[in-house]
Amino acid sequence: FDRLHDRYVQQLMNGLETARRKSLSYGQAQKALTVFLKVYVDWAGQPNRAIRRRLLPWLHVPLDSIIMKGVGRSYPRWYAREIRPLARRSCRYLSLPMVDHELYHRWQRLFREKWPPKPLLFDVVWAMNR
């Protein structure tokens, strides 16, 4: 699943650009794909219930600044150890343009580690903090 996800994110990065005509970062490109998969597979149960159940442990949490900030506050030692050393800029929390492939997958590993049956439950952080 992760390799297929990466391939589609790369296609989005190659085929789209920002409103300012800049290339999409990995973090920006993943957002469209992960939100689509969350809605299509988890919420709508498509293409069917059996596939939804199989994919739930693998679906990625749509990463954005709200999720990163909320989860970073909840797991400050993890954030300091896993995310801060890879951050390109010196700022307290990251934004999507700053997120590359490695940072993105570190976040997804945390989500899967903390809630293996359905990492998407971390998306509740977004709903509670927006």
Side-chain angles (χ1 to χ4, degrees), residues 3-112:
R3 283 193 301 265
L4 183 63
H5 186 276
D6 284 339
R7 192 168 45 189
Y8 282 116
V9 170
Q10 287 298 325
Q11 288 179 353
L12 289 170
M13 290 171 67
N14 293 334
L16 299 174
E17 58 187 25
T18 69
R20 293 187 174 135
R21 298 218 176 286
K22 295 191 183 239
S23 298
L24 293 180
S25 71
Y26 194 94
Q28 291 167 315
Q30 65 74 34
K31 182 74 186 251
L33 179 59
T34 54
V35 169
F36 169 77
L37 290 171
K38 173 183 77 171
V39 172
Y40 186 74
V41 176
D42 186 28
W43 294 5
Q46 297 299 319
N48 61 54
R49 288 183 181 162
I51 290 175
R52 176 189 178 270
R53 279 193 302 274
R54 270 184 67 199
L55 288 179
L56 280 180
W58 303 105
L59 290 176
H60 293 192
V61 177
L63 199 59
D64 62 21
S65 59
I66 296 169
I67 291 280
M68 291 187 289
K69 191 173 185 178
V71 174
R73 285 182 184 155
S74 296
Y75 298 98
R77 288 191 298 200
W78 172 84
Y79 189 88
R81 183 182 71 245
E82 296 291 326
I83 302 301
R84 296 294 298 140
L86 294 180
R88 291 181 300 214
R89 288 188 227 152
S90 176
C91 61
R92 187 170 177 137
Y93 292 104
L94 300 173
S95 63
L96 284 182
M98 302 164 91
V99 175
D100 62 14
H101 179 270
E102 178 63 26
L103 280 171
Y104 176 77
H105 283 283
R106 285 184 182 216
W107 284 101
Q108 299 305 321
R109 282 192 297 272
L110 172 74
F111 301 141
R112 286 180 178 164

